[in-house]
């Protein structure tokens, strides 16, 4: 393998040794690997055709001279899933999810651990230290145990106990620090210094950045298969790459991957980058919005999403700011509540259970689409960085399950006991909503959005006449009505409802793609509760209106 390590500050080139963490010329800790891009650009594509789909298919572009395949756990080449339902809901059909939950320990940190442990093993290192909010320690623990290495895992006391137990299960030594993540990193660094042990330094670790860039390689390969190559037969890249960040290592690596492909002549463009932070700990977002070149640290993080609680990103912000600005991207922040809500939407719309940090990425996506920053025609890839651990009370809220007590035979015969149990499963009547819409896709979209927000009994009709009959028969709590339909339009349905005492007070939300004339608005005035444009269903106004009308 032919590569050198270049200092990002003074430009000095040096050979790679994992234990050498600073530039021998200027002492900078910020360095990266460089390869023979001209040669690899010509020779590697043909080799890839015959290789297994995993991280090590790109081994010529990784800083491990002789990869030990016996250390692999099958990392890399996670699926790129088209988010069909989210795309319909957001009016942005080309949204793809890079599903990093499907790594060996269910997070994108498996890439980091895989390459780093391989490099350390090759260098004869047998013991290391890492500070973590959970995922990285789990990944390092798995790969360290496979390589016969000792890991000292420093974690904050806020890390869920289930994650701590998994770290310990692999044989790692868990050290709980009662303090912030930044303080945890300080203690870990001092421990490593005193014992002269290898320390994982996050974004400053060469192998970590190199590992993360494989996400970009895979996205280009997978997107080319999904959407076809560019017009000049080059590989396809998205218009946007969205990821939640804490220290920023992931996007720094992914940007390097796209940059290298551009240097090799494989792609035309690097996507716009959208790093997302938790609002309660958003030093990069806040500093970028102020136009600052250096990040203002957050000394007291106020987020429950512990994996996003890096208060001082250091120089990672400077590098990431350059990448965001050069790609016409944006930094954005979301609240914990928005992240948790996005987790629910993602699970209920796409069947993907993501960790809160990944929820923040999707909440950021929703926010950027609503603001018009991401356009309906854009192709977007969102990194679903990891799987949720057993969901905690704060995520699910109250009444997420129903207790059913089956009577004993002495209390009731078997058949009566079964009937009694069934009445406990759904003891109350869920709010009933009728959707009247002639387009199947639109009906399905509205149904999925409502289902992602709560428990409703949802009935559908595909034209005005059928809808009016259904409403008069079922007397629902709410009607969502299209205006332009065959047989009987929405205006006529509303007039019929208001002329019947039994249906006169049923609230109606009109959802239409039509620009209404003043006369048409007058026909609706006083007869409906809300008028919304299709394609804007994720807007809080729609969901808030539904909830308020059902109370």
């Amino acid at each position: 393998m032919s590569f050198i390590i270049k200092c990002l500050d003074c430009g000095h080139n040096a050979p790679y040794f994992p234990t050498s963490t600073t530039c021998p010329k200027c002492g900078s800790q910020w360095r990266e690997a460089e390869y023979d891009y001209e040669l690899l650009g010509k020779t590697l594509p043909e080799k890839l055709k015959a290789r297994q789909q995993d991280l090590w298919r790109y081994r010529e572009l990784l800083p491990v001279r002789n990869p030990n395949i016996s250390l692999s756990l099958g990392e890399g080449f996670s699926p790129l899933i088209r988010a069909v339902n989210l795309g319909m809901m957001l009016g942005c059909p080309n949204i793809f999810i890079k599903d990093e939950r499907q790594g060996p320990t269910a997070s994108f940190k498996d890439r980091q651990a895989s390459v780093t442990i391989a490099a350390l093993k090759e260098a004869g290192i047998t013991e290391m230290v890492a500070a973590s909010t959970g995922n990285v320690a789990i990944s390092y623990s798995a790969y360290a145990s496979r390589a016969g290495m000792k890991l000292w895992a420093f974690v904050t006391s806020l890390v869920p106990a289930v994650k701590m137990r998994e770290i310990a299960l692999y044989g790692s030594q868990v050290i709980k620090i009662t303090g912030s993540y930044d303080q945890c990193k300080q203690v870990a660094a001092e421990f490593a210094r005193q014992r002269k042990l290898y320390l994982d330094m996050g974004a400053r670790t060469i192998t970590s950045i190199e590992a993360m860039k494989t996400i970009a390689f895979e996205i280009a390969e997978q997107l080319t298969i999904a959407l076809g190559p560019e017009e000049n037969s080059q590989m396809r890249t998205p218009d946007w790459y969205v990821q939640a960040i804490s220290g920023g290592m992931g996007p720094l690596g992914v940007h390097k991957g796209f940059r290298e492909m551009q240097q090799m002549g494989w792609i035309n463009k690097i996507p716009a980058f959208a790093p997302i932070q938790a609002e309660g700990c958003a030093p990069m977002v806040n500093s970028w919005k102020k136009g600052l070149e250096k990040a203002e640290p957050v000394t007291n993080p106020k987020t429950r999403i512990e994996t996003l609680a890096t208060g001082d990103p250091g120089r990672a912000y400077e590098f990431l700011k350059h990448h965001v600005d050069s790609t016409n991207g944006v930094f954005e922040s979301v609240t914990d509540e928005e992240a948790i809500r996005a987790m629910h939407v993602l699970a209920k719309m796409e069947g993907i259970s993501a960790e809160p940090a990944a929820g923040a990425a999707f909440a950021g996506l929703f926010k950027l689409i609503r603001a018009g920053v991401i356009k309906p025609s854009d192709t977007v890839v969102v990194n679903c960085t990891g799987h949720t651990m057993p969901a905690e009370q704060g995520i699910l809220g109250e009444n997420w399950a129903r207790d059913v007590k089956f009577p004993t035979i002495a209390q009731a015969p078997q058949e009566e006991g079964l009937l009694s149990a069934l009445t406990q499963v759904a003891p109350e009547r869920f709010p009933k909503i009728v959707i009247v819409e002639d387009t199947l896709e639109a009906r399905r979209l509205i149904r999925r959005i409502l289902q992602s927000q709560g428990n409703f009994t949802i009935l559908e009709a595909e034209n005005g006449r059928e809808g009016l009959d259904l409403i008069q028969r079922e007397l629902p709590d709410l009607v969502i009505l299209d205006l332009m339909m065959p047989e009987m339009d929405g205006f006529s349905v509303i007039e019929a409802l208001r002329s019947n005492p039994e249906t006169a007070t049923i609230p109606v939300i009109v959802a239409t793609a039509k620009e209404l004339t003043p006369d048409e608005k007058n026909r609706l005035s006083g007869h409906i509760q809300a008028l919304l444009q299709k394609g804007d269903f994720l807007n809080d106004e729609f969901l808030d209106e539904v909830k308020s009308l059902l109370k």
Side-chain angles (χ1 to χ4, degrees), residues 72-92:
S72 175
L73 289 168
E75 59 281 347
F77 233 88
S78 58
L80 188 70
I81 301 169
R82 193 172 202 146
V84 177
N85 296 311
L86 275 184
M88 286 174 54
M89 181 173 75
L90 295 165
C92 185

Side-chain angles (χ1 to χ4, degrees), residues 497-529:
L497 292 177
R498 296 308 177 229
S499 65
N500 182 344
E502 285 192 320
T503 60
T505 59
I506 296 174
V508 175
I509 295 177
V510 165
T512 181
K514 184 182 187 303
E515 279 294 329
L516 300 186
T517 66
D519 286 343
E520 289 172 330
K521 288 181 180 179
N522 286 334
R523 286 183 69 186
L524 296 176
S525 180
H527 298 298
I528 66 171
Q529 276 59 48

Side-chain angles (χ1 to χ4, degrees), residues 135 243-245 276 305 307-308 339 343 354-362 383 385:
N135 285 348
Q243 183 182 328
I245 61 167
I276 311 298
I305 307 175
T307 50
L308 300 182
M343 288 173 64
E355 65 181 1
F362 284 92
N383 189 335
T385 46

Side-chain angles (χ1 to χ4, degrees), residues 429-446:
R429 186 181 72 86
F430 293 137
K432 189 183 295 183
I433 301 176
V434 167
I435 302 168
V436 187
E437 163 67 59
D438 65 321
T439 305
L440 174 62
E441 290 77 11
R443 290 201 306 274
R444 186 176 71 172
L445 173 60
I446 297 170

Side-chain angles (χ1 to χ4, degrees), residues 199-218:
L199 172 69
D200 173 77
M201 299 192 300
R204 293 167 294 164
T205 301
I206 290 167
T207 48
S208 297
I209 297 297
E210 295 303 293
M212 291 303 172
K213 75 184 184 184
T214 59
I215 294 173
F217 299 159
E218 293 171 16

Side-chain angles (χ1 to χ4, degrees), residues 114-432:
S114 171
V115 177
T116 300
I117 292 294
L120 297 183
K121 184 73 172 177
E122 188 172 68
I125 296 170
T126 60
E127 201 167 349
M128 70 170 291
V129 177
S132 172
T133 54
N135 285 348
V136 75
I138 291 173
S139 293
Y140 269 130
S141 294
Y143 284 91
S145 65
R146 190 164 177 82
M149 293 174 60
K150 169 75 173 181
L151 174 68
W152 297 84
F154 287 74
V155 299
T156 75
S157 56
L158 295 178
V159 170
V162 65
K163 288 192 175 185
M164 291 191 194
R165 288 194 293 269
E166 184 168 359
I167 296 166
L169 181 65
Y170 291 113
S172 299
Q173 179 61 60
V174 179
I175 298 96
K176 289 193 292 183
I177 303 297
T178 302
S180 69
Y181 180 41
D182 291 311
Q183 291 169 327
C184 181
K185 289 189 287 188
Q186 292 171 6
V187 175
E190 180 59 23
F191 178 84
R193 188 190 67 80
Q194 290 184 11
R195 296 215 174 192
K196 296 180 172 54
L197 298 177
Y198 176 88
L199 172 69
D200 173 77
M201 299 192 300
R204 293 167 294 164
T205 301
I206 290 167
T207 48
S208 297
I209 297 297
E210 295 303 293
M212 291 303 172
K213 75 184 184 184
T214 59
I215 294 173
F217 299 159
E218 293 171 16
I219 287 172
E221 284 200 70
Q222 293 167 319
L223 208 55
T224 302
I225 293 171
L227 299 178
E230 298 284 1
E231 289 182 3
N232 55 5
S233 297
Q234 287 186 307
M235 297 171 75
R236 187 175 291 274
T237 55
D239 297 300
W240 285 89
Y241 175 78
V242 181
Q243 183 182 328
I245 61 167
S246 185
M249 178 182 63
L252 286 175
V254 173
H255 185 276
K256 186 172 189 286
F258 284 118
R259 192 169 75 243
E260 287 184 344
M261 285 189 286
Q262 194 173 51
Q263 287 176 268
M264 292 186 290
W266 293 1
I267 63 173
N268 282 331
K269 71 177 192 304
I270 297 174
F273 272 61
I276 311 298
Q277 291 197 293
E279 194 173 279
C281 186
M284 296 203 211
V285 178
N286 297 336
S287 301
W288 182 77
K289 289 186 175 181
K290 291 179 182 179
L292 301 179
E293 294 300 319
K294 296 184 184 297
E296 289 181 338
V298 173
T299 55
N300 184 24
K302 292 181 173 60
T303 175
R304 289 172 288 157
I305 307 175
E306 184 65 16
T307 50
L308 300 182
T310 296
D312 186 359
R315 290 188 65 192
Y317 165 72
E318 299 171 40
F319 294 109
L320 194 52
K321 177 183 183 299
H322 174 266
H323 299 336
V324 168
D325 290 343
S326 66
T327 60
N328 295 315
V330 294
F331 283 92
E332 190 53 86
S333 62
V334 297
T335 65
D336 287 6
E337 291 70 27
E338 286 171 330
I340 290 171
R341 177 183 166 197
M343 288 173 64
H344 283 264
V345 172
L346 184 62
K348 293 169 182 174
M349 295 288 284
E350 297 294 347
I352 292 176
S353 173
E355 65 181 1
F362 284 92
L365 170 72
F366 300 166
K367 198 168 185 177
L368 294 175
I369 290 177
R370 285 181 196 163
V373 176
I374 294 177
K375 304 294 189 294
S377 59
D378 287 341
T379 298
V380 186
V381 171
V382 186
N383 189 335
C384 184
T385 46
H387 195 289
T388 185
M389 287 299 189
E392 298 175 18
Q393 187 68 35
I395 293 173
L396 287 175
E398 300 294 334
N399 302 320
W400 58 272
R402 305 189 185 283
D403 292 331
V404 175
K405 296 180 181 178
F406 203 101
T408 64
I409 294 177
Q411 291 174 314
Q414 183 69 20
E415 187 174 339
E416 291 180 16
L418 177 59
L419 292 173
S420 174
L422 288 173
T423 61
Q424 298 174 58
V425 174
E428 77 278 9
R429 186 181 72 86
F430 293 137
K432 189 183 295 183

